Amino acid sequence: MRRIPFILAALLLAAPAQAQDAIRIVGSSTVFPFATAVAEQFGRTTDYKTPVIESTGSGGGLKLFCSGAGLDTPSITNASRRIKASEVESCASNGVTEIVEVKLGFDGIVIANSKRTGRFDLTKEQIFRALAKQVPIGGKLVDNPYTTWAEIDPSLPTTKIEVLGPPPTSGTRDAFVELAMEGGAKAVPMLAALRKEDKNQFKAVAHAIREDGVYVEAGENDNLIVSKLEANPAALGVFGFSFLDQNADRIQGSLVEGVEPTFENIADGAYGISRSLYFYVKKAHVGNVAGIEGYLDEFTGDAATGEDGYLSDKGLIPLGDEERAAVRTATLGLSLLSLE
Amino acid sequence: MSDLNGQADATAKRRLAKRYAAERRFRLYGASAIAVALLSLVFLLGSTVLQAIPGFTHHVVTLDFDLDATKLDPAGTRDPAEIGRADFSRLVKVSLREEFPDVRDRRERRQLQRLVSTGAAYDLRDAVLADPSLIGSRLSLAVPMSDDADLLLKGEIDRDVPEGDRRVSDRQVAWLDQWVAAGRVERVFWTRFFTSGDSREPELAGIWGAMVGTFWTLLVTLLLSFPLGVSAAIYLEEFAPRNRATDFIEVNINNLAAVPSIVFGLLGLAVFLNFFGMPRSAPLVGGVVLALMTLPTVIIASRSAVQAVPPSIREAALGVGASPLQVVAHHVLPLAMPGIMTGTIIGMARALGETAPLLMIGMVAFIVDIPGGPTDPSAVLPVQVYLWADAPERAWVYKTSAAILVLLTFLIAMNLTAVLLRNRFERRW
């Protein structure tokens, strides 16, 4: 009851504020550091306003993006995974039928520890055995019994298994589970057989991370994980490559399947845990929201996403030259997304 | 007899000693509780201040720029718009190349360019636009170094670790040392931190945008919560009948004061953004949401301030013929004002530190432009802290602490004002 005068006051104040002047961008926290760098450069070198970027997570961003076609909805959403068919449908049911997909590069997920201890050399199967909720032992699925790395493989150190990583809401966690855990599960013959029989059952086993305190959910803040690794040399941490790149004097990335997480290895696909980064544009907004073409031009240009572009300084691993040229042509021509 | 007495005496003494010991122990517990609280406060503030100090300063290097008229203003019109569009980052590159002419390799040139901030080109442009007569001459200008070079010079990046493990290569260290030896590098107090908006580069980022956003947000909060809160409090205390309805309202106000702030954010998203279609990320919506959140605090504080005005004053006023409205307007409200102000300031201080409700309405965003009014997109101080804490570059650690110190300064200033107001104007009857 007391709120009525308020809402009226709010309405009166809000009335003149409908026009949209800056590009509105939402989405993945992984793409956020790259998108903001491009947005700032775009804002400084053109007469347009600097785009406003919110870090909402890939899923949250797509939800906002698909909520409608009106100019009060975001024009662009960033994603650290590809848009799902279900999301394309939900977009279409809200009137967002024309979407342009832009692949901007790769991001590696590293498993790192403090420089003060030895470097780990892990296989995906070992990662799976260390972190899965249930592991196959003697032909049966049992609750994960491993407490030290040496129990999994005598070649590994005898230290306690302790891994700090992102929570389930994070896109990094999704990609880690899909690439590392699932990849490791496929290497176990019994689970590979299960995969052929019952795909859902396999996914349930491969995607379940143990909840007995060995895997510690350390929040979305990767800086926090880095400083915790420094304080606790026995622990491993899971996070994006750019944080390893920035803190290479304090932490080291573990080898996965014998490959070191370096810029070159991720770029040519040798390093096994890497994913593509995307952003999606509403075609209907191009021409109606000022500056979108310029932003796309800046983002796909050599200065930003080229091999020596400023985004590679920020930790983005760019596409190969040929693919990048193709993406640029498709983006500037506003080719529509099709999920084959 | 005397024996018995002596025994009783000894028991009593023992008991007394025990009671004294208990007393001392109790005081010790209390003192140690305070000591623990103080120690953690000192630790928290100490670590923040220590980390903030590098955030307030930055290294600049003085470079010579050749302001070639054919590149800056080929038409010779001296039109600011034309000059502003010139490629100033090219001039910076040329200047660096002249500085170290033996650097020919493309990779090495890039390393050299990375020593100087991308902001150097913006500073150069500003200098030329401020004084177009410089075009055609050589200009010596102190430009910011990049965050990595700055951290190395500050000693935050250890130059003794192997080359591959640090962000600054041996070659870059050698160039930096050469500049330092020539006296071209200077560590200055970084005013840009207080005058510019957010940026992706730590050395160019500032909190002015967040401060302006905070100002607009808190202004809206104050304009809504103060009049509404005070009128609600006065009505409930002075005019409302005591019945079940007012009891119900009172219980609800007390409950609302304890509702977690994120709930108000969800309400803001559902009501103001989705239903009324107000703009996202705007201080207007943030202010309204925070006003809802602080309203119960303001009402409760105002009610107790109004209650504290003795009834004799009201009765005296009524006795000389004042109307109830006059009693309130001429006597109760002025006397209760210091208490109301204190409550409002404390409520506003709480609103100043909130991020959770703003997350839902899109104020947790990267916003470079300084907001010009309550409907422009903007961030607020605690949001800026949150965003910077999450950024990968090492230099952000220090910027985050510096921003925390600025936020704490505002909080302490507001709370201090509340205490001063109370001490200066409060009357006891």
Side-chain angles (χ1 to χ4, degrees), chain A residues 114-133:
Chain A
S114 161
K115 275 248 148 117
R116 282 178 286 156
T117 48
R119 193 196 277 270
F120 273 81
D121 182 356
L122 298 166
T123 63
K124 284 187 183 174
E125 184 182 347
Q126 286 163 350
I127 297 172
F128 172 74
R129 285 194 176 272
L131 294 179
K133 196 171 181 188

Side-chain angles (χ1 to χ4, degrees), chain A residues 6 24 33 40 53-54 249, chain B residues 165 199-200 228 281 366 394:
Chain A
F6 244 40
R24 304 296 300 233
E40 186 178 357
I53 307 183
E54 282 177 58
D249 56 337
Chain B
D165 293 351
S199 167
R200 200 45 201 89
L228 284 173
S281 320
F366 175 75
R394 181 88 65 86

Side-chain angles (χ1 to χ4, degrees), chain A residues 6-7 14 17-18 24 33 36-37 40 44 50 53-54 115 221 223 245-250 308 313-314, chain B residues 106 110 114 122 165 167 199-201 228 276-277 280-281 292 362 365-366 369 375 389-391 393-394:
Chain A
F6 244 40
I7 290 171
Q18 295 299 320
R24 304 296 300 233
T36 46
E40 186 178 357
R44 292 213 196 249
T50 310
I53 307 183
E54 282 177 58
K115 275 248 148 117
N221 187 332
N223 273 328
D245 192 36
Q246 287 286 335
N247 294 286
D249 56 337
R250 301 191 285 187
D308 286 328
D313 279 352
K314 303 255 169 250
Chain B
R106 196 166 151 269
R110 282 184 53 79
R114 266 184 220 157
Y122 311 139
D165 293 351
R167 299 262 308 159
S199 167
R200 200 45 201 89
E201 306 299 329
L228 284 173
F276 288 119
R280 264 182 95 78
S281 320
L292 285 180
F366 175 75
D369 300 328
T375 54
D390 220 16
E393 283 83 6
R394 181 88 65 86

Side-chain angles (χ1 to χ4, degrees), chain B residues 359-371:
Chain B
L359 191 71
M360 307 309 300
I361 55 165
M363 284 186 83
V364 180
F366 175 75
I367 292 153
V368 175
D369 300 328
I370 310 288

Side-chain angles (χ1 to χ4, degrees), chain A residues 62 82 143 166 230:
Chain A
L62 279 161
R82 211 162 180 221
D143 283 343
E230 256 201 304

Side-chain angles (χ1 to χ4, degrees), chain B residues 62-99:
Chain B
T62 309
L63 294 177
D64 276 334
F65 298 100
D66 179 16
L67 302 178
D68 188 348
T70 55
K71 277 184 194 139
L72 286 179
D73 188 18
T77 55
R78 295 290 187 269
D79 174 17
E82 199 61 41
I83 300 171
R85 266 197 289 276
D87 187 358
F88 284 92
S89 59
R90 175 107 228 116
L91 288 190
V92 176
K93 282 176 193 166
V94 168
S95 158
L96 284 170
R97 204 174 299 167
E98 282 171 4
E99 195 81 17

